Amino acid sequence: MQTLFVELGERRYPIFIGHQLDGSKLLNQYISSQQVMIVSNTTVADLYLDHYLQQFQAMGKTIATCILPDGEKYKDFQHLHLIFDALLEAGFNRDCTVIALGGGVIGDMAGYAAASFQRGVKFVQIPTTLLSQVDSSVGGKTGINHPLGKNMIGAFKQPEAVLADMAVLDTLPDRELSAGLAEVIKYALLGDLEFLTWLELNMAKLLDRDREALAEAVYRCCAHKAHIVAADEMEKGDRALLNLGHTYGHAIESYMGYGTWLHGEAVAAGMVMAASLSAQLGWIDSKDVVRVKEILSQANLPIASPRIPVDEFLAYMAHDKKVLNGQLRLVLLKGLGQAVMSKDFEQSQLIQSIQDNLLAE
Amino acid sequence: MQTLFVELGERRYPIFIGHQLDGSKLLNQYISSQQVMIVSNTTVADLYLDHYLQQFQAMGKTIATCILPDGEKYKDFQHLHLIFDALLEAGFNRDCTVIALGGGVIGDMAGYAAASFQRGVKFVQIPTTLLSQVDSSVGGKTGINHPLGKNMIGAFKQPEAVLADMAVLDTLPDRELSAGLAEVIKYALLGDLEFLTWLELNMAKLLDRDREALAEAVYRCCAHKAHIVAADEMEKGDRALLNLGHTYGHAIESYMGYGTWLHGEAVAAGMVMAASLSAQLGWIDSKDVVRVKEILSQANLPIASPRIPVDEFLAYMAHDKKVLNGQLRLVLLKGLGQAVMSKDFEQSQLIQSIQDNLLAE
């Protein structure tokens, strides 16, 4: 097992990475409250709720649960409210801990509920998808979607601890494993060319769910993200680079309806578009774009977007949080492994980057 | 005009207190964003929206508005969502400012919306009731109600600035003026005996809406609260003393249905109960309890609760945020002008403090 710390001063917290981890031993010192609310979804609860209930019961906690339906389309106000209902019906007070047991949707919702319940209670993450292990469980971004935009409502809420157990990835559907690999590949593209080479060599192992390879990939991604988050918690600067492919990707997700395309799938197509725009600007070579497409294909990810009308695509992109004073900014590549935030592109180039990467009819 | 600063380091902010204040001049340096969303309610908007729209237009801002129905019963998720709808429909991004123009309900909702929209945008308060000028606009507590409890969902969100203009109190209904005076009296009872004497001498002027007297009272209350908030922003300690009368009061408000009794009215009856329990404990004299009742009566406030069954009263109190590990803690008086947080009372004494202060049948 490896332990990483996200260095945020008083709010410093550990990420435990390994397989078949002993949660009650690792988390005990990080859950000081008696009352523990486990938030999960129906799919994950069927597989792992009993296991974790036993672990928390072994810690002597008073436990309540809130099991939500599974899917990004439930990441809304109505379902967030169910968590508050459960907390209040259990009689929980401001000295309680909310535990997210699930993927990114559960982590985002449980985290925002923990940030908001009684103006803030404690929070622990047990991410059960590769995507949430490498991305959403680290860094404290929480929230819900709004019909007019993804993650538009939320809070920065750091957990007390994160438990990333590779054993739970055994039951992850192939499609979700690939979606998680999109974010893994993202870390390589935005800041670590050596890791890209490692991924090209180890992709077969990762797809085969080799626990050691997965733990290594998760560790590298979390270390990268922890470093960025510690320097820029509130995303005033470099943290925004983690959104490589995301502005395009969010447009795809929004247009298709949340959950139709998985987040990682949309980000994969978005990263191809970002690479494509970067190549138009002369910042990377066309062979770099090919390399981006190849590693994504190797991970069984899409490398083109559904045929969304370009004006609608642009309208969805304009809702993105990275729009500043009406000016769209994108994370682009100055080179492979070197992302930058930029608004130095023409509208025509932006349009080209979309049109060139739509699925053939 | 007087200016007070709430000393919170990087988030230090001013409270401007006076009458017929020039908002565009005072607020200009505190609103750096181009996009400004004014949140108000139908009552306040009819009276003051045009006035403030002109002031912000004079600052050259892009302005949108969200006008909610008036009343505590609308301080819920559905109406909070209307603010997000308005922000997204206006195309506002994370570099916008939300301005609360209204009383405590509007301040709490707009503040929580500002805390949550895009995980946090800027916030300015223009409180239009005495209650919100002395209490909710200072200190950053924001939130909404849940059917099972008041203010159960929210965030700590400090504003960029607060503009407290006594001129807007001219149109405040008498009942709301009195409700505001309940919180003014609270500051005297919990920490400033000299201010209690001042209030006993000046209550007639305050009820007559003498602007100088009102500004003096608001200044004293805000100075007191700013001092406490600077020392204990997250309410880990002394800030909780500001809740004198509130645990009882919340039970009254919840039982009666939010908005039936005004918050200040419920707190007034709650302060009598807290004084009554303090007297049972021998911490204050029965003549101190009489003095508490007299100053509240002078301000035209209730000094007894509706006839709520005691077991239901206790059940609502048990939902309060100050319950720690199942143990109810209350703000009580060790002396007039000296509040303490305590759990050193018997259940029978608690019951007595309620029963002794119910309205006669």
Side-chain angles (χ1 to χ4, degrees):
Chain A
M1 190 195 74
Q2 290 185 285
T3 306
L4 255 174
F5 281 88
V6 182
E7 298 294 349
L8 287 166
E10 280 183 16
R11 289 169 299 121
R12 177 179 195 261
Y13 65 89
I15 307 171
F16 302 109
I17 300 166
H19 45 85
Q20 294 174 295
L21 300 174
D22 181 345
S24 57
K25 186 174 157 208
L26 294 168
L27 294 177
N28 208 12
Q29 67 168 299
Y30 297 96
I31 302 179
S32 57
S33 60
Q34 176 60 27
Q35 300 170 334
V36 170
M37 170 64 67
I38 303 177
V39 178
S40 191
N41 68 37
T42 47
T43 310
V44 175
D46 281 351
L47 294 165
Y48 299 110
L49 184 59
D50 283 348
H51 171 74
Y52 283 100
L53 276 177
Q54 278 168 21
Q55 302 228 341
F56 294 112
Q57 274 154 359
M59 294 159 67
K61 301 298 184 186
T62 304
I63 305 168
T65 61
C66 176
I67 311 301
L68 300 172
D70 184 11
E72 175 93 19
K73 65 171 178 275
Y74 303 109
K75 189 172 145 180
D76 61 14
F77 254 104
Q78 284 70 39
H79 292 84
L80 176 72
H81 213 279
L82 296 179
I83 305 176
F84 297 126
D85 293 346
L87 285 161
L88 285 164
E89 282 160 12
F92 280 13
N93 57 40
R94 67 168 69 168
D95 183 36
C96 71
T97 300
V98 175
I99 297 180
L101 175 66
V105 171
I106 289 296
D108 283 6
M109 294 181 77
Y112 184 39
S116 301
F117 183 60
Q118 311 241 22
R119 299 195 189 91
V121 298
K122 288 182 174 163
F123 177 46
V124 164
Q125 294 255 32
I126 305 179
T128 60
T129 64
L130 179 58
L131 177 64
S132 57
Q133 286 178 346
V134 299
D135 187 39
S136 56
S137 73
V138 183
K141 280 193 183 180
T142 69
I144 56 174
N145 297 326
H146 183 282
L148 293 178
K150 195 171 148 65
N151 293 325
M152 281 291 152
I153 300 157
F156 286 96
K157 174 70 180 176
Q158 301 296 344
E160 303 295 306
V162 180
L163 190 74
D165 192 332
M166 299 309 118
V168 299
L169 300 184
D170 286 351
T171 51
L172 194 67
D174 289 343
R175 191 177 161 198
E176 289 196 40
L177 183 72
S178 290
L181 288 169
E183 295 280 349
V184 172
I185 292 165
K186 181 195 76 176
Y187 286 100
L189 297 180
L190 73 87
D192 190 347
L193 195 53
E194 189 274 324
F195 185 38
L196 181 59
T197 305
W198 186 92
L199 286 172
E200 287 164 340
L201 294 171
N202 290 278
M203 189 55 74
K205 276 191 190 175
L206 293 170
L207 289 170
D208 206 31
R209 300 173 200 238
D210 177 294
R211 288 179 179 178
E212 294 297 334
L214 284 167
E216 175 66 17
V218 170
Y219 183 86
R220 287 193 185 216
C221 295
C222 287
H224 192 141
K225 183 156 184 181
H227 181 74
I228 288 183
V229 167
D232 180 24
E233 184 181 6
M234 297 302 177
E235 194 166 323
K236 306 287 184 200
D238 279 354
R239 181 163 181 176
L241 299 179
L242 293 173
N243 291 311
L244 176 64
H246 281 58
T247 304
Y248 291 105
H250 284 170
I252 296 171
E253 279 185 281
S254 295
Y255 179 86
M256 299 298 285
Y258 296 130
T260 311
W261 270 49
L262 296 180
H263 176 68
E265 293 168 342
V267 167
M271 289 193 292
V272 173
M273 290 176 172
S276 178
L277 180 50
S278 307
Q280 282 187 66
L281 294 166
W283 294 351
I284 62 173
D285 290 339
S286 60
K287 68 171 169 23
D288 292 325
V289 180
V290 170
R291 196 172 166 196
V292 170
K293 289 181 182 177
E294 280 178 353
I295 186 71
L296 293 168
S297 296
Q298 224 185 319
N300 301 321
L301 285 160
I303 55 172
S305 161
R307 295 193 68 79
I308 300 169
V310 172
D311 54 343
E312 294 200 46
F313 205 114
L314 293 170
Y316 277 105
M317 290 181 84
H319 274 300
D320 191 87
K321 286 192 285 288
K322 283 170 290 301
V323 173
L324 189 67
N325 293 325
Q327 173 78 56
L328 183 66
R329 297 177 304 152
L330 290 173
V331 183
L332 298 175
L333 297 173
K334 276 279 177 183
L336 271 194
Q338 193 193 341
V340 293
M341 177 66 79
S342 176
K343 54 182 173 55
D344 299 332
F345 49 83
E346 301 297 326
Q347 183 74 359
S348 61
Q349 295 173 309
L350 173 63
I351 289 169
Q352 194 71 43
S353 71
I354 298 167
Q355 282 178 331
D356 285 352
N357 296 289
L358 297 176
L359 284 169
E361 283 188 274
Chain B
M1 190 195 73
Q2 291 185 285
T3 307
L4 255 175
F5 281 88
V6 182
E7 298 295 348
L8 287 166
E10 280 184 14
R11 289 169 298 120
R12 177 180 195 261
Y13 64 88
I15 307 171
F16 302 110
I17 301 166
H19 45 85
Q20 293 175 297
L21 300 175
D22 182 345
S24 58
K25 186 174 158 211
L26 294 169
L27 294 177
N28 208 12
Q29 67 168 301
Y30 296 95
I31 303 180
S32 57
S33 61
Q34 176 60 28
Q35 300 170 334
V36 170
M37 170 65 67
I38 303 177
V39 178
S40 191
N41 68 37
T42 47
T43 310
V44 174
D46 282 351
L47 294 165
Y48 299 110
L49 184 59
D50 283 349
H51 172 74
Y52 284 101
L53 275 177
Q54 279 169 21
Q55 302 227 341
F56 293 112
Q57 274 156 357
M59 293 158 68
K61 300 298 183 186
T62 304
I63 305 168
T65 59
C66 177
I67 311 301
L68 301 173
D70 183 10
E72 175 93 21
K73 65 171 177 270
Y74 304 109
K75 189 172 146 180
D76 61 16
F77 254 104
Q78 284 70 39
H79 292 86
L80 176 72
H81 214 279
L82 295 178
I83 306 176
F84 298 127
D85 293 347
L87 286 160
L88 285 164
E89 283 161 12
F92 280 12
N93 56 41
R94 66 168 70 168
D95 183 35
C96 70
T97 300
V98 174
I99 297 180
L101 175 66
V105 171
I106 289 296
D108 282 6
M109 294 182 76
Y112 183 41
S116 301
F117 183 61
Q118 312 240 20
R119 300 195 190 92
V121 298
K122 287 182 176 165
F123 177 46
V124 165
Q125 293 256 32
I126 305 179
T128 60
T129 63
L130 179 59
L131 177 64
S132 56
Q133 288 177 346
V134 299
D135 185 39
S136 56
S137 72
V138 182
K141 280 193 183 180
T142 69
I144 56 174
N145 298 326
H146 183 282
L148 294 178
K150 194 171 150 67
N151 293 324
M152 281 292 152
I153 300 157
F156 285 96
K157 175 69 179 177
Q158 300 296 344
E160 304 294 307
V162 180
L163 190 72
D165 192 332
M166 300 308 118
V168 299
L169 300 185
D170 286 351
T171 51
L172 193 66
D174 289 343
R175 191 178 161 198
E176 289 197 38
L177 183 71
S178 290
L181 289 170
E183 295 280 351
V184 172
I185 292 165
K186 180 194 76 176
Y187 286 100
L189 296 181
L190 74 87
D192 191 347
L193 196 54
E194 189 274 323
F195 185 37
L196 181 60
T197 305
W198 186 91
L199 286 172
E200 287 166 338
L201 293 171
N202 289 277
M203 189 55 74
K205 275 190 189 174
L206 294 170
L207 289 169
D208 205 33
R209 300 172 200 241
D210 177 294
R211 289 178 180 178
E212 294 297 336
L214 285 166
E216 175 66 18
V218 170
Y219 183 85
R220 285 192 185 219
C221 295
C222 287
H224 191 141
K225 183 156 184 180
H227 181 74
I228 287 182
V229 167
D232 180 25
E233 184 182 5
M234 298 302 177
E235 195 167 321
K236 306 285 185 202
D238 279 354
R239 182 164 179 176
L241 299 180
L242 293 172
N243 290 311
L244 176 64
H246 281 57
T247 304
Y248 290 105
H250 284 169
I252 296 172
E253 280 185 279
S254 296
Y255 179 86
M256 300 298 287
Y258 296 131
T260 310
W261 270 49
L262 296 180
H263 176 67
E265 293 169 341
V267 167
M271 289 193 291
V272 173
M273 289 175 173
S276 178
L277 180 50
S278 306
Q280 282 186 68
L281 295 166
W283 294 352
I284 62 174
D285 290 340
S286 60
K287 70 173 170 16
D288 292 325
V289 180
V290 171
R291 196 171 167 196
V292 170
K293 289 182 181 176
E294 279 177 353
I295 187 71
L296 293 168
S297 296
Q298 223 186 319
N300 301 321
L301 285 160
I303 54 172
S305 159
R307 296 194 67 79
I308 300 168
V310 171
D311 56 340
E312 294 202 44
F313 205 114
L314 293 170
Y316 276 106
M317 290 180 84
H319 275 302
D320 191 87
K321 287 193 284 289
K322 283 170 289 303
V323 173
L324 189 66
N325 294 326
Q327 173 77 56
L328 183 66
R329 296 177 304 152
L330 291 173
V331 184
L332 298 176
L333 298 173
K334 276 279 180 183
L336 271 195
Q338 194 194 339
V340 292
M341 178 68 77
S342 177
K343 54 181 172 54
D344 299 332
F345 49 83
E346 302 297 327
Q347 183 76 359
S348 61
Q349 295 173 311
L350 173 63
I351 290 170
Q352 193 71 42
S353 71
I354 297 167
Q355 281 178 334
D356 285 352
N357 296 289
L358 297 176
L359 283 170
E361 281 190 271

